[in-house]
Amino acid sequence: MVALAIAEAAALAAAGAALDIEGVSHAFDIDGAALPVLDDISFSLEPGEFVALLGPSGCGKSTLLRLVAGLEPPTSGTLREDGEPITRPFPSRVVVFQDPTLFPWRNVWHNVALGLEAQGILKSQRHRVDAAIDLVGLSGFRKAYPHQLSGGMAQRVALARALINDPKILILDEPLGKLDSLTRIAMQAELVSLWQRSGFTTLLVTHDVEEAVYLANRVIVFSDRPARIKADIAVDRPYPRHRGDPVLAELRRKILGLLGLEATW
Protein backbone atom coordinates (compact mmCIF):
# COMPACT_ATOMS: atom_id res chain seq x y z
CA MET A 1 0.00 0.00 0.00
CA VAL A 2 2.83 2.40 0.88
CA ALA A 3 4.57 1.70 -2.44
CA LEU A 4 1.30 2.32 -4.29
CA ALA A 5 0.76 5.65 -2.49
CA ILE A 6 4.30 6.75 -3.34
CA ALA A 7 3.80 5.77 -6.99
CA GLU A 8 0.51 7.69 -7.15
CA ALA A 9 2.12 10.78 -5.61
CA ALA A 10 4.98 10.59 -8.12
CA ALA A 11 2.52 10.30 -11.01
CA LEU A 12 0.61 13.37 -9.84
CA ALA A 13 3.81 15.38 -9.47
CA ALA A 14 4.75 14.40 -13.02
CA ALA A 15 1.40 15.77 -14.23
CA GLY A 16 2.43 19.28 -13.17
CA ALA A 17 5.27 21.42 -14.47
CA ALA A 18 7.94 23.38 -12.61
CA LEU A 19 7.60 27.15 -13.00
CA ASP A 20 10.51 29.54 -12.47
CA ILE A 21 10.08 33.31 -12.42
CA GLU A 22 13.47 35.04 -12.32
CA GLY A 23 14.02 38.77 -11.90
CA VAL A 24 10.83 39.69 -13.75
CA SER A 25 9.99 43.38 -14.09
CA HIS A 26 7.30 44.84 -16.29
CA ALA A 27 5.99 48.25 -17.27
CA PHE A 28 3.14 49.56 -19.40
CA ASP A 29 3.57 52.27 -22.00
CA ILE A 30 1.05 55.00 -21.11
CA ASP A 31 1.16 57.85 -23.66
CA GLY A 32 4.87 57.34 -24.13
CA ALA A 33 5.66 57.13 -20.40
CA ALA A 34 6.60 53.89 -18.64
CA LEU A 35 4.29 52.83 -15.81
CA PRO A 36 6.14 50.22 -13.68
CA VAL A 37 3.89 47.32 -12.64
CA LEU A 38 6.23 44.53 -11.49
CA ASP A 39 9.63 45.08 -9.87
CA ASP A 40 12.19 42.25 -9.79
CA ILE A 41 9.84 39.35 -9.03
CA SER A 42 11.50 35.98 -8.40
CA PHE A 43 9.97 32.75 -7.11
CA SER A 44 9.52 29.14 -8.21
CA LEU A 45 6.78 26.51 -8.10
CA GLU A 46 7.54 22.83 -7.80
CA PRO A 47 5.56 20.42 -10.03
CA GLY A 48 2.09 19.96 -8.58
CA GLU A 49 2.37 22.85 -6.13
CA PHE A 50 -0.55 25.24 -5.44
CA VAL A 51 0.53 28.87 -4.90
CA ALA A 52 -1.77 31.85 -4.25
CA LEU A 53 -0.86 35.48 -4.95
CA LEU A 54 -2.29 38.20 -2.71
CA GLY A 55 -1.80 41.96 -2.84
CA PRO A 56 -3.53 45.32 -3.17
CA SER A 57 -5.88 45.81 -6.10
CA GLY A 58 -4.00 46.92 -9.20
CA CYS A 59 -0.56 45.94 -7.90
CA GLY A 60 0.27 43.71 -10.87
CA LYS A 61 -0.87 40.20 -9.86
CA SER A 62 -2.99 39.63 -12.97
CA THR A 63 -0.24 41.09 -15.14
CA LEU A 64 2.13 38.44 -13.80
CA LEU A 65 -0.40 35.74 -14.73
CA ARG A 66 -0.48 37.09 -18.29
CA LEU A 67 3.31 36.80 -18.46
CA VAL A 68 3.19 33.22 -17.12
CA ALA A 69 0.56 32.38 -19.73
CA GLY A 70 2.86 33.75 -22.44
CA LEU A 71 0.33 36.36 -23.56
CA GLU A 72 3.05 39.02 -23.53
CA PRO A 73 6.79 39.14 -22.75
CA PRO A 74 8.16 40.78 -19.60
CA THR A 75 10.10 44.04 -19.86
CA SER A 76 13.00 42.21 -18.21
CA GLY A 77 13.65 38.87 -16.54
CA THR A 78 12.83 35.30 -17.50
CA LEU A 79 9.94 32.88 -17.03
CA ARG A 80 10.52 29.15 -17.54
CA GLU A 81 8.31 26.06 -17.63
CA ASP A 82 10.27 22.89 -16.90
CA GLY A 83 13.43 24.83 -17.74
CA GLU A 84 12.21 26.07 -21.13
CA PRO A 85 11.69 29.83 -21.63
CA ILE A 86 8.05 30.95 -21.86
CA THR A 87 7.80 33.02 -25.03
CA ARG A 88 4.23 32.44 -26.19
CA PRO A 89 0.95 30.79 -25.17
CA PHE A 90 1.06 26.99 -25.09
CA PRO A 91 -1.58 24.31 -24.37
CA SER A 92 0.30 23.14 -21.27
CA ARG A 93 -0.58 26.50 -19.62
CA VAL A 94 -4.30 27.23 -19.35
CA VAL A 95 -5.96 30.34 -17.90
CA VAL A 96 -9.34 30.45 -16.15
CA PHE A 97 -10.63 34.00 -15.68
CA GLN A 98 -13.16 35.55 -13.30
CA ASP A 99 -15.81 35.50 -16.04
CA PRO A 100 -16.52 32.05 -17.54
CA THR A 101 -16.73 33.59 -21.08
CA LEU A 102 -18.85 30.75 -22.45
CA PHE A 103 -20.25 30.94 -25.97
CA PRO A 104 -24.02 31.43 -25.45
CA TRP A 105 -24.97 29.60 -28.66
CA ARG A 106 -23.07 26.45 -27.62
CA ASN A 107 -24.32 24.02 -25.02
CA VAL A 108 -22.12 22.77 -22.18
CA TRP A 109 -20.73 19.85 -24.19
CA HIS A 110 -19.74 21.99 -27.15
CA ASN A 111 -18.25 24.73 -24.96
CA VAL A 112 -16.03 22.18 -23.24
CA ALA A 113 -15.09 20.62 -26.60
CA LEU A 114 -13.61 23.86 -27.98
CA GLY A 115 -9.99 23.01 -27.25
CA LEU A 116 -10.11 19.62 -28.93
CA GLU A 117 -12.06 21.09 -31.84
CA ALA A 118 -9.40 23.78 -32.34
CA GLN A 119 -6.72 21.07 -32.41
CA GLY A 120 -8.68 19.05 -34.98
CA ILE A 121 -8.86 15.97 -32.75
CA LEU A 122 -12.44 16.16 -31.46
CA LYS A 123 -13.70 13.26 -33.59
CA SER A 124 -11.25 10.81 -32.08
CA GLN A 125 -11.24 12.28 -28.56
CA ARG A 126 -14.93 12.83 -27.85
CA HIS A 127 -14.68 10.70 -24.71
CA ARG A 128 -12.42 13.34 -23.15
CA VAL A 129 -15.24 15.89 -23.31
CA ASP A 130 -17.56 13.62 -21.35
CA ALA A 131 -14.79 12.81 -18.86
CA ALA A 132 -14.07 16.50 -18.21
CA ILE A 133 -17.76 17.28 -17.71
CA ASP A 134 -18.09 14.35 -15.31
CA LEU A 135 -14.97 15.51 -13.44
CA VAL A 136 -16.58 18.86 -12.55
CA GLY A 137 -19.90 17.27 -11.60
CA LEU A 138 -22.05 18.42 -14.53
CA SER A 139 -22.90 15.10 -16.14
CA GLY A 140 -26.62 15.94 -16.12
CA PHE A 141 -26.10 19.27 -17.93
CA ARG A 142 -24.28 18.30 -21.13
CA LYS A 143 -27.05 19.74 -23.33
CA ALA A 144 -27.77 22.83 -21.20
CA TYR A 145 -26.95 26.30 -22.53
CA PRO A 146 -25.09 28.99 -20.54
CA HIS A 147 -28.27 30.98 -19.77
CA GLN A 148 -29.66 27.88 -18.06
CA LEU A 149 -26.71 27.60 -15.64
CA SER A 150 -26.03 29.21 -12.27
CA GLY A 151 -22.82 31.21 -11.81
CA GLY A 152 -21.12 28.30 -10.08
CA MET A 153 -22.16 25.86 -12.80
CA ALA A 154 -20.89 28.19 -15.53
CA GLN A 155 -17.53 28.41 -13.76
CA ARG A 156 -17.43 24.59 -13.58
CA VAL A 157 -17.86 24.54 -17.37
CA ALA A 158 -14.93 26.96 -17.69
CA LEU A 159 -12.82 24.66 -15.51
CA ALA A 160 -13.81 21.61 -17.59
CA ARG A 161 -12.87 23.51 -20.76
CA ALA A 162 -9.45 24.17 -19.22
CA LEU A 163 -8.91 20.66 -17.84
CA ILE A 164 -9.72 18.92 -21.12
CA ASN A 165 -6.35 20.14 -22.40
CA ASP A 166 -4.55 18.27 -19.57
CA PRO A 167 -2.71 21.41 -18.43
CA LYS A 168 0.57 21.15 -16.61
CA ILE A 169 0.04 24.64 -15.19
CA LEU A 170 -3.44 25.93 -14.34
CA ILE A 171 -3.53 29.74 -14.08
CA LEU A 172 -6.49 31.08 -12.11
CA ASP A 173 -7.30 34.81 -12.20
CA GLU A 174 -9.90 35.26 -9.42
CA PRO A 175 -12.07 32.48 -10.88
CA LEU A 176 -14.48 32.53 -7.92
CA GLY A 177 -14.57 36.30 -7.42
CA LYS A 178 -18.11 36.90 -8.70
CA LEU A 179 -19.82 33.97 -7.00
CA ASP A 180 -22.07 34.27 -3.96
CA SER A 181 -20.46 33.22 -0.67
CA LEU A 182 -22.11 29.78 -0.39
CA THR A 183 -21.31 28.85 -4.00
CA ARG A 184 -17.78 30.14 -3.56
CA ILE A 185 -17.19 27.91 -0.52
CA ALA A 186 -18.47 24.87 -2.45
CA MET A 187 -16.32 25.72 -5.46
CA GLN A 188 -13.21 26.13 -3.30
CA ALA A 189 -13.62 22.56 -2.08
CA GLU A 190 -14.23 21.40 -5.66
CA LEU A 191 -11.09 23.17 -6.86
CA VAL A 192 -8.96 21.46 -4.21
CA SER A 193 -10.46 18.10 -5.21
CA LEU A 194 -9.73 18.70 -8.92
CA TRP A 195 -6.15 19.75 -8.14
CA GLN A 196 -5.53 16.72 -5.95
CA ARG A 197 -6.95 14.32 -8.55
CA SER A 198 -5.18 15.85 -11.55
CA GLY A 199 -1.82 16.95 -10.11
CA PHE A 200 -1.40 20.12 -12.19
CA THR A 201 0.67 23.02 -10.87
CA THR A 202 -1.64 25.88 -9.87
CA LEU A 203 -1.05 29.63 -9.68
CA LEU A 204 -4.02 31.55 -8.25
CA VAL A 205 -4.69 35.28 -7.94
CA THR A 206 -7.26 36.15 -5.29
CA HIS A 207 -8.20 39.08 -3.05
CA ASP A 208 -9.66 36.72 -0.44
CA VAL A 209 -7.13 35.95 2.32
CA GLU A 210 -9.22 33.10 3.72
CA GLU A 211 -9.48 31.56 0.23
CA ALA A 212 -5.71 31.75 -0.21
CA VAL A 213 -4.84 29.96 3.04
CA TYR A 214 -7.64 27.41 2.56
CA LEU A 215 -6.50 26.40 -0.94
CA ALA A 216 -2.76 26.93 -1.31
CA ASN A 217 0.49 25.31 -0.22
CA ARG A 218 2.08 28.76 -0.24
CA VAL A 219 0.84 32.34 -0.22
CA ILE A 220 2.96 35.06 -1.81
CA VAL A 221 2.11 38.58 -0.67
CA PHE A 222 2.82 41.51 -3.00
CA SER A 223 3.34 45.17 -2.18
CA ASP A 224 1.61 48.12 -3.84
CA ARG A 225 2.45 48.78 -7.50
CA PRO A 226 5.07 48.27 -8.73
CA ALA A 227 4.71 44.92 -7.03
CA ARG A 228 7.56 43.44 -5.05
CA ILE A 229 7.36 40.30 -2.92
CA LYS A 230 6.73 41.20 0.73
CA ALA A 231 6.45 37.63 2.01
CA ASP A 232 6.39 34.01 0.83
CA ILE A 233 4.42 32.07 3.44
CA ALA A 234 4.14 28.27 3.64
CA VAL A 235 0.70 26.90 4.55
CA ASP A 236 1.80 23.64 6.12
CA ARG A 237 -1.60 22.12 6.86
CA PRO A 238 -3.05 18.84 5.58
CA TYR A 239 -6.08 18.54 3.32
CA PRO A 240 -9.01 18.59 3.77
CA ARG A 241 -8.62 21.84 5.69
CA HIS A 242 -11.03 23.31 8.21
CA ARG A 243 -11.76 27.03 8.20
CA GLY A 244 -11.78 27.13 12.00
CA ASP A 245 -8.23 25.74 12.20
CA PRO A 246 -6.34 28.07 14.62
CA VAL A 247 -3.17 27.75 12.51
CA LEU A 248 -5.04 29.06 9.46
CA ALA A 249 -6.55 31.82 11.59
CA GLU A 250 -3.08 32.93 12.66
CA LEU A 251 -1.88 32.89 9.06
CA ARG A 252 -4.86 35.05 8.06
CA ARG A 253 -3.97 37.52 10.81
CA LYS A 254 -0.34 37.62 9.69
CA ILE A 255 -1.23 38.17 6.03
CA LEU A 256 -3.77 40.89 6.86
CA GLY A 257 -1.00 42.61 8.80
CA LEU A 258 1.28 42.48 5.78
CA LEU A 259 -1.53 44.05 3.73
CA GLY A 260 -2.01 46.82 6.29
CA LEU A 261 -5.35 45.44 7.48
CA GLU A 262 -4.44 43.91 10.85
CA ALA A 263 -6.79 46.34 12.64
CA THR A 264 -9.74 44.71 10.86
CA TRP A 265 -8.98 41.28 12.39
Side-chain angles (χ1 to χ4, degrees):
M1 291 296 291
V2 174
L4 179 59
I6 293 173
E8 289 177 346
L12 285 176
L19 175 64
D20 296 300
I21 298 168
E22 301 171 357
V24 167
S25 296
H26 197 63
F28 294 132
D29 186 337
I30 307 295
D31 290 333
L35 175 66
V37 180
L38 301 170
D39 184 13
D40 193 25
I41 301 295
S42 296
F43 64 93
S44 297
L45 278 71
E46 295 295 325
E49 196 171 14
F50 195 134
V51 173
L53 307 181
L54 280 169
S57 182
C59 73
K61 303 181 298 297
S62 292
T63 297
L64 181 60
L65 293 193
R66 289 181 58 82
L67 303 183
V68 171
L71 296 173
E72 57 185 294
T75 301
S76 62
T78 305
L79 300 99
R80 291 187 170 87
E81 177 187 339
D82 281 341
E84 295 296 322
I86 295 174
T87 58
R88 59 187 176 86
F90 200 73
S92 62
R93 284 172 268 112
V94 179
V95 186
V96 177
F97 296 102
Q98 188 177 82
D99 293 308
T101 60
L102 304 179
F103 289 110
W105 59 88
R106 285 177 169 252
N107 62 23
V108 166
W109 197 95
H110 286 97
N111 264 289
V112 174
L114 276 169
L116 301 183
E117 187 176 329
Q119 297 175 59
I121 59 173
L122 178 57
K123 187 174 181 179
S124 63
Q125 299 289 316
R126 294 176 64 88
H127 64 281
R128 290 173 57 186
V129 181
D130 292 314
I133 292 171
D134 291 344
L135 190 63
V136 300
L138 288 176
S139 56
F141 292 87
R142 286 179 170 80
K143 296 183 179 180
Y145 285 85
H147 73 274
Q148 298 172 311
L149 306 175
S150 68
M153 291 167 71
Q155 198 58 277
R156 287 170 187 261
V157 178
L159 282 168
R161 186 175 57 189
L163 296 176
I164 200 171
N165 294 304
D166 293 327
K168 288 182 170 293
I169 300 176
L170 186 63
I171 303 164
L172 302 171
D173 193 0
E174 292 194 79
L176 312 181
K178 290 188 176 180
L179 303 179
D180 66 86
S181 59
L182 294 180
T183 303
R184 185 168 186 153
I185 288 170
M187 285 295 295
Q188 287 169 356
E190 184 68 24
L191 189 55
V192 168
S193 178
L194 290 171
W195 166 65
Q196 289 181 311
R197 278 181 279 170
S198 301
F200 42 71
T201 303
T202 305
L203 188 60
L204 166 74
V205 160
T206 178
H207 284 100
D208 187 326
V209 176
E210 181 176 283
E211 181 169 89
V213 299
Y214 179 76
L215 294 176
N217 303 132
R218 288 161 56 204
V219 177
I220 296 176
V221 182
F222 283 176
S223 68
D224 284 314
R225 188 180 67 240
R228 295 184 64 90
I229 293 177
K230 295 183 73 172
D232 188 336
I233 300 168
V235 186
D236 189 17
R237 302 300 291 163
Y239 297 91
R241 291 176 177 169
H242 302 283
R243 296 172 198 276
D245 185 334
V247 175
L248 297 185
E250 176 58 26
L251 286 174
R252 289 197 297 271
R253 186 200 64 77
K254 178 179 180 180
I255 292 167
L256 286 169
L258 289 166
L259 294 170
L261 299 171
E262 189 171 18
T264 66
W265 180 249

